[in-house]
mmCIF file of all heavy atoms in Angstrom:
data_model
loop_
_atom_site.group_PDB
_atom_site.id
_atom_site.type_symbol
_atom_site.label_atom_id
_atom_site.label_comp_id
_atom_site.label_asym_id
_atom_site.label_seq_id
_atom_site.Cartn_x
_atom_site.Cartn_y
_atom_site.Cartn_z
ATOM 1 N N THR A 86 19.802 32.636 51.312
ATOM 2 C CA THR A 86 18.514 33.324 51.370
ATOM 3 C C THR A 86 18.455 34.245 52.575
ATOM 4 O O THR A 86 18.028 35.400 52.465
ATOM 5 C CB THR A 86 17.364 32.291 51.433
ATOM 6 O OG1 THR A 86 17.435 31.465 50.267
ATOM 7 C CG2 THR A 86 16.017 32.959 51.507
ATOM 8 N N VAL A 87 18.898 33.766 53.713
ATOM 9 C CA VAL A 87 18.875 34.562 54.948
ATOM 10 C C VAL A 87 19.794 35.768 54.814
ATOM 11 O O VAL A 87 19.399 36.895 55.165
ATOM 12 C CB VAL A 87 19.260 33.697 56.164
ATOM 13 C CG1 VAL A 87 19.470 34.551 57.404
ATOM 14 C CG2 VAL A 87 18.193 32.641 56.425
ATOM 15 N N ALA A 88 20.994 35.573 54.298
ATOM 16 C CA ALA A 88 21.944 36.675 54.163
ATOM 17 C C ALA A 88 21.398 37.756 53.237
ATOM 18 O O ALA A 88 21.467 38.950 53.543
ATOM 19 C CB ALA A 88 23.281 36.162 53.651
ATOM 20 N N ARG A 89 20.827 37.356 52.109
ATOM 21 C CA ARG A 89 20.266 38.328 51.156
ATOM 22 C C ARG A 89 19.085 39.064 51.794
ATOM 23 O O ARG A 89 18.942 40.274 51.623
ATOM 24 C CB ARG A 89 19.868 37.648 49.858
ATOM 25 C CG ARG A 89 21.078 37.090 49.089
ATOM 26 C CD ARG A 89 20.676 36.508 47.748
ATOM 27 N NE ARG A 89 20.148 37.519 46.841
ATOM 28 C CZ ARG A 89 20.894 38.341 46.093
ATOM 29 N NH1 ARG A 89 22.207 38.278 46.147
ATOM 30 N NH2 ARG A 89 20.319 39.222 45.295
ATOM 31 N N GLU A 90 18.270 38.334 52.541
ATOM 32 C CA GLU A 90 17.113 38.965 53.200
ATOM 33 C C GLU A 90 17.569 39.988 54.257
ATOM 34 O O GLU A 90 17.020 41.076 54.342
ATOM 35 C CB GLU A 90 16.247 37.895 53.848
ATOM 36 C CG GLU A 90 14.986 38.429 54.494
ATOM 37 C CD GLU A 90 14.175 37.323 55.145
ATOM 38 O OE1 GLU A 90 13.934 36.305 54.478
ATOM 39 O OE2 GLU A 90 13.802 37.491 56.317
ATOM 40 N N LEU A 91 18.576 39.629 55.036
ATOM 41 C CA LEU A 91 19.089 40.548 56.059
ATOM 42 C C LEU A 91 19.649 41.825 55.451
ATOM 43 O O LEU A 91 19.555 42.900 56.054
ATOM 44 C CB LEU A 91 20.174 39.869 56.899
ATOM 45 C CG LEU A 91 19.697 38.797 57.882
ATOM 46 C CD1 LEU A 91 20.896 38.068 58.474
ATOM 47 C CD2 LEU A 91 18.845 39.405 58.960
ATOM 48 N N LEU A 92 20.221 41.709 54.265
ATOM 49 C CA LEU A 92 20.796 42.867 53.592
ATOM 50 C C LEU A 92 19.789 43.610 52.716
ATOM 51 O O LEU A 92 20.125 44.615 52.093
ATOM 52 C CB LEU A 92 22.009 42.451 52.756
ATOM 53 C CG LEU A 92 23.215 41.979 53.573
ATOM 54 C CD1 LEU A 92 24.276 41.384 52.660
ATOM 55 C CD2 LEU A 92 23.781 43.121 54.383
ATOM 56 N N GLY A 93 18.564 43.097 52.658
ATOM 57 C CA GLY A 93 17.528 43.756 51.865
ATOM 58 C C GLY A 93 17.709 43.557 50.367
ATOM 59 O O GLY A 93 17.234 44.391 49.581
ATOM 60 N N LEU A 94 18.361 42.499 49.988
ATOM 61 C CA LEU A 94 18.576 42.202 48.567
ATOM 62 C C LEU A 94 17.434 41.339 48.051
ATOM 63 O O LEU A 94 16.859 40.552 48.793
ATOM 64 C CB LEU A 94 19.911 41.484 48.369
ATOM 65 C CG LEU A 94 21.153 42.265 48.813
ATOM 66 C CD1 LEU A 94 22.388 41.364 48.737
ATOM 67 C CD2 LEU A 94 21.333 43.492 47.957
ATOM 68 N N PRO A 95 17.134 41.452 46.762
ATOM 69 C CA PRO A 95 16.062 40.614 46.202
ATOM 70 C C PRO A 95 16.459 39.138 46.192
ATOM 71 O O PRO A 95 17.645 38.798 46.099
ATOM 72 C CB PRO A 95 15.883 41.144 44.781
ATOM 73 C CG PRO A 95 17.152 41.854 44.464
ATOM 74 C CD PRO A 95 17.726 42.322 45.761
#
Side-chain angles (χ1 to χ4, degrees):
T86 301
V87 170
R89 294 184 65 82
E90 183 181 310
L91 288 171
L92 293 171
L94 299 172

